[in-house]
Amino acid sequence: MKMTTLCYIEKDGKYLMLHRTKKRHDINKDKWIGVGGHAEGTEGPEDCLLREVKEETGLDARNAEGGYLFTYKRENPGEGDNYFVDVYRFVMDIDEKDLTLQTEETDGHMFATLEQIQAFAAEGKFLHSDSIRKAFEM
């Protein structure tokens, strides 16, 4: 079973959301999501997350406030694609000029309010919205 990490970076009560590029060949294209990815080799969840944050955004989250929140199991019956997701939340002081997005996977970003995230979820444009809802309840 695969292990995935997902991170929500908060600044001034808003969350950094990445827009998945339409060039991707998976069901996640054209959706909004936090930063995340799959662990490689013997990499642990936190190391995976810190690597993914750096690769996808250019940000260094090693000294950010916050950390691990919870784990959930994602089950896709019939597709055989079951995995665990470790969810993190970091609070960082981010300057827009510090962002360097990984263009192979993202084609935009925004700092979204909880209301905007809920609207994306209602439209089916926010990845894993039901499973990670409690990440925003703190």
Side-chain angles (χ1 to χ4, degrees):
M1 188 168 287
K2 293 186 290 187
M3 189 278 299
T4 300
T5 57
L6 194 53
C7 174
Y8 295 93
I9 299 173
E10 182 182 350
K11 174 191 174 187
D12 300 329
K14 294 183 179 181
Y15 298 90
L16 175 62
M17 303 303 296
L18 304 178
H19 189 253
R20 292 292 219 170
T21 181
K22 295 175 186 172
K23 294 182 269 185
R24 286 184 59 98
H25 300 290
D26 63 24
I27 62 170
N28 302 328
K29 66 183 179 183
D30 203 24
K31 304 257 184 182
W32 289 92
I33 191 169
V35 180
H38 301 289
E40 297 177 356
T42 60
E43 185 177 47
E46 190 166 343
D47 290 334
C48 168
L49 179 69
L50 293 171
R51 176 184 52 77
E52 287 289 339
V53 168
K54 186 70 170 169
E55 287 176 5
E56 291 185 15
T57 68
L59 299 172
D60 184 352
R62 287 180 293 179
N63 296 316
E65 181 182 324
Y68 173 80
L69 295 177
F70 59 90
T71 299
Y72 73 91
K73 182 177 180 184
R74 186 79 174 170
E75 295 187 52
N76 296 312
E79 295 178 29
D81 188 22
N82 303 324
Y83 51 95
F84 289 97
V85 179
D86 287 341
V87 179
Y88 292 75
R89 181 169 148 200
F90 293 128
V91 178
M92 298 174 64
D93 186 21
I94 304 165
D95 192 315
E96 292 275 338
K97 68 178 169 50
D98 295 334
L99 289 172
T100 53
L101 298 182
Q102 184 181 49
T103 57
E104 298 82 29
E105 294 193 18
T106 60
D107 64 1
H109 76 282
M110 70 181 297
F111 285 93
T113 64
L114 182 55
E115 291 76 22
Q116 289 170 309
I117 291 170
Q118 290 168 336
F120 287 141
E123 295 171 19
K125 293 185 176 186
F126 182 64
L127 197 58
H128 303 291
S129 60
D130 290 336
S131 303
I132 54 82
R133 182 177 327 234
K134 64 182 176 181
F136 303 106
E137 295 174 355
M138 300 180 184

